Amino acid sequence: MRTATTPRRIVIAGGGTSGWMAAAALARTMGDTIELTLVESDAIGTVGVGESTIPPLVKYNQLTGIDEAEFMRETNATFKLGIEFENWKNDGESYFHSFGATGKDHWSAGFQHFWMHGLTQGHEHSYDDYCLELAAAHAGKFAILPDNRINYAYQLDATAYARFLRRKAESFGATRREGKIAAVELDSESGDIAALTLESGERIEGDLFLDCTGFRALLIEGALHVGYDDWSHYLPNDRAIAVQTESIRDPVPFTRAIAHEAGWQWRIPLQHRQGNGIVYCSRYMSDDEAEARLLSTVEGATCSTPNRLRFTTGTRRKQWHRNCVAVGLSSGFMEPLESTSIHLIQRAVLRLIRMLPAGERVSQRDIDEFNDQQLTDMDQIRDFLILHYKVTQRRDSPFWRQCADMEIPDSLTQKIELFRETGRVFRKNEELFAENSWVQVMMGQGLMPETYHPVATKMSSEELDRFLGTLRSNVSRTVAGLPEHHAFVKRYCGARQTEAA
């Protein structure tokens, strides 16, 4: 009988970012307590466009023992302090969603309440002036400060990242098998997955299977038929086209999200090139129109062929079913607006490690808890993405009119109306996006609270002047002392730069 100390055979179906992120973390954490095999085929391409990330990836790299400078060299990464949203409130207007905090909160109320009270007292400084990450991004500056005062993520080459993780995972003990999956064999009695059969005829048995086969979802859907909840009525974009261009200027420490009449475009500056893409709704823009628009607006000569992608936003109804866990695109898809794709991979992998079965059988309680936590994450991120489309003043095209008029989940309605009436935002159950993220997006798109917390009025005029002035001074002084972002990246990574993928 298999015991808790017997190696558990874990099989990962599919490589790419999701497969190798899972392999690296599992192999690093569990070592020889598991037998880890990853199956992938060189003949099957990966999506490879998840190039903009959010701060939790820093922790993932640390947990897997990855040296940050080596990682950045190998993936041609730059640092990221947030996202510049252009044309979202109105055409020609912009706002910035930064990482980290703005100002200084009181335990009873967020900083926005004190800033709003300041407006009534003659203070005219923008809310942006109190955020270190935002000010540094606009100044094109960056440094890793010793007290971790700057919150950051990365902009990276996703294909190179998968190759880098493969080397790490194999060095930790993971085994790679080359080949296409021809069939998924189910156990006739239990209904669990028993083995994967490759086109070569090789049969790979396992106890636990991770489905990292992307949109195809060969295991979780193709074999186990868990079902899919379609969220396109909330997030109507269903197409994307990605293309890479040569860099024509030094990379900035932020990603750009530029709205257009039927969706939006991204620009992600790496060390060696720029990633570009267009996301759109096929009801309002054809594939050819979208590609023409993308190619007419990119900066620099193209260095790749446009890659067309089709997707349906939503989630599998179960992300862990029987002995199969869906990770990455096989588990569901949120459009890339807030750079959550890689984060959701990371979240699933680390959650799985915490709930990794011991002994012969998987606990249904673990499965239920995993699914509940994963789907809660998906619901919360979904609401935050919907916010960007719903809270807009644009009415200049059928797409934006549809977004403004669409029905939204009750959970999001509560969040929006609570902020509109009181200026309050509450973070629930380890929710990914903190209060400041919601405040920046809502106020950035023109939603201003009608009132603010009375605690803000306890300060005298002199105290308020001193409080706000000190915060602004701390931000400006810190930014003034930072190096240029591109210079810091070059120095941090060292002289060796990898060639473009």
Side-chain angles (χ1 to χ4, degrees):
M1 176 178 291
R2 188 176 300 280
T3 68
T5 58
T6 303
R8 175 169 291 277
R9 300 168 300 174
I10 298 179
V11 178
I12 301 175
T17 304
S18 61
W20 287 113
M21 281 189 78
L26 280 162
R28 168 75 176 185
T29 304
M30 302 306 300
D32 59 7
T33 67
I34 60 173
E35 296 172 356
L36 183 61
T37 304
L38 184 146
V39 181
E40 70 173 341
S41 171
D42 288 334
I44 298 176
T46 59
V47 173
V49 295
E51 298 186 324
S52 192
T53 69
I54 55 179
L57 187 60
V58 177
K59 178 61 69 176
Y60 168 86
N61 283 348
Q62 293 171 351
L63 291 174
T64 49
I66 290 173
D67 177 77
E68 188 173 62
E70 178 191 11
F71 152 76
M72 294 195 67
R73 285 195 302 269
E74 295 297 321
T75 63
N76 281 293
T78 56
F79 292 102
K80 176 186 173 186
L81 295 170
I83 304 173
E84 181 86 47
F85 284 90
E86 303 171 34
N87 304 333
W88 286 81
K89 176 185 176 184
N90 276 310
D91 195 11
E93 298 185 55
S94 66
Y95 68 92
F96 199 93
H97 172 204
S98 67
F99 302 139
T102 298
K104 184 178 181 181
D105 295 338
H106 185 262
W107 68 265
S108 65
F111 173 72
Q112 69 271 16
H113 297 272
F114 298 89
W115 174 77
M116 289 179 61
H117 178 56
L119 295 180
T120 69
Q121 304 300 304
H123 290 269
E124 298 179 348
H125 286 273
S126 167
Y127 187 74
D128 297 351
D129 294 340
Y130 299 89
C131 180
L132 174 58
E133 289 82 0
L134 192 156
H138 280 166
K141 293 188 171 186
F142 181 83
I144 299 173
L145 300 180
D147 55 358
N148 296 318
R149 267 192 300 146
I150 288 188
N151 296 274
Y152 66 90
Y154 312 103
Q155 300 166 133
L156 54 85
D157 183 326
T159 302
Y161 186 41
R163 291 197 299 263
F164 174 73
L165 289 172
R166 173 184 170 181
R167 293 195 295 273
K168 292 296 180 182
E170 291 179 325
S171 74
F172 299 150
T175 299
R176 179 186 183 274
R177 294 288 176 83
E178 166 64 31
K180 287 185 178 181
I181 299 171
V184 180
E185 178 186 330
L186 301 183
D187 184 277
S188 59
E189 295 184 3
S190 68
D192 289 352
I193 297 175
L196 305 180
T197 302
L198 307 187
E199 287 185 347
S200 65
E202 182 180 5
R203 187 172 176 273
I204 300 177
E205 296 182 346
D207 302 306
L208 185 68
F209 292 80
L210 274 59
D211 187 341
C212 298
T213 62
F215 289 129
R216 294 172 297 154
L218 293 179
L219 282 63
I220 197 72
E221 193 63 52
L224 298 179
H225 313 295
V226 299
Y228 192 81
D229 285 336
D230 184 337
W231 288 343
S232 57
H233 53 294
Y234 294 138
L235 297 167
N237 288 328
D238 57 358
R239 300 284 192 277
I241 303 174
V243 70
Q244 301 164 8
T245 57
E246 297 176 356
S247 298
I248 62 172
R249 60 175 61 87
D250 292 327
V252 294
F254 59 90
T255 295
R256 294 173 65 191
I258 309 163
H260 60 78
E261 67 270 20
W264 60 282
Q265 295 177 226
W266 75 75
R267 289 184 184 172
I268 305 172
L270 309 185
Q271 293 182 41
H272 64 311
R273 63 164 173 81
Q274 181 164 259
N276 311 271
I278 185 168
V279 181
Y280 56 101
C281 179
S282 60
R283 281 177 299 195
Y284 302 110
M285 180 175 282
S286 71
D287 295 343
D288 289 342
E289 288 173 331
E291 183 169 322
R293 180 186 181 92
L294 174 63
L295 295 178
S296 68
T297 55
V298 295
E299 300 175 332
T302 59
C303 50
S304 71
T305 302
N307 180 20
R308 295 187 178 188
L309 305 169
R310 295 188 175 195
F311 57 85
T312 301
T313 51
T315 180
R316 302 288 163 200
R317 291 177 185 146
K318 297 178 181 179
Q319 297 191 10
W320 186 345
H321 184 52
R322 297 189 179 276
N323 65 336
C324 177
V325 181
V327 178
L329 298 178
S330 64
S331 69
F333 184 68
M334 301 284 191
E335 65 156 281
L337 183 61
E338 282 283 356
S339 313
T340 55
S341 292
I342 289 179
H343 171 75
L344 286 169
I345 297 169
Q346 170 188 335
R347 193 88 149 179
V349 171
L350 299 186
R351 184 166 283 146
L352 172 63
I353 291 174
R354 294 189 187 101
M355 299 179 178
L356 200 64
E360 186 173 2
R361 296 196 59 80
V362 176
S363 167
Q364 187 60 45
R365 297 293 184 182
D366 272 340
I367 294 175
D368 293 343
E369 184 64 27
F370 180 93
N371 284 326
D372 181 66
Q373 292 185 23
Q374 287 292 109
L375 294 176
T376 296
D377 285 347
M378 296 287 282
D379 286 345
Q380 291 172 339
I381 293 172
R382 175 205 63 194
D383 283 3
F384 189 61
L385 298 189
I386 297 170
L387 174 72
H388 296 66
Y389 294 98
K390 180 64 176 179
V391 185
T392 177
Q393 297 179 13
R394 291 191 65 157
R395 300 293 189 275
D396 55 307
S397 70
F399 173 81
W400 288 107
R401 288 192 290 273
Q402 172 194 331
C403 290
D405 295 338
M406 71 180 169
E407 296 293 324
I408 60 176
D410 291 342
S411 52
L412 178 56
T413 298
Q414 166 65 15
K415 210 131 189 175
I416 291 173
E417 295 308 318
L418 178 65
F419 183 76
R420 188 194 309 275
E421 295 177 14
T422 71
R424 287 191 260 276
V425 179
F426 292 100
R427 187 180 191 179
K428 300 179 180 178
N429 303 323
E430 298 183 350
E431 186 175 352
L432 172 60
F433 292 104
E435 177 179 347
N436 191 54
S437 294
W438 287 87
V439 171
Q440 285 183 318
V441 174
M442 287 193 282
M443 293 204 308
Q445 297 201 177
L447 178 61
M448 295 299 294
E450 297 167 359
T451 60
Y452 52 86
H453 198 290
V455 73
T457 65
K458 287 185 64 177
M459 286 186 178
S460 66
S461 296
E462 293 77 16
E463 289 172 330
L464 183 64
D465 289 348
R466 186 164 55 252
F467 173 64
L468 296 177
T470 299
L471 291 174
R472 291 195 309 273
S473 177
N474 289 342
V475 168
S476 59
R477 184 171 60 251
T478 301
V479 171
L482 296 176
E484 297 293 325
H485 168 252
H486 64 91
F488 182 85
V489 170
K490 185 175 181 179
R491 183 170 66 251
Y492 188 65
C493 295
R496 183 171 68 85
Q497 300 293 327
T498 58
E499 295 181 356

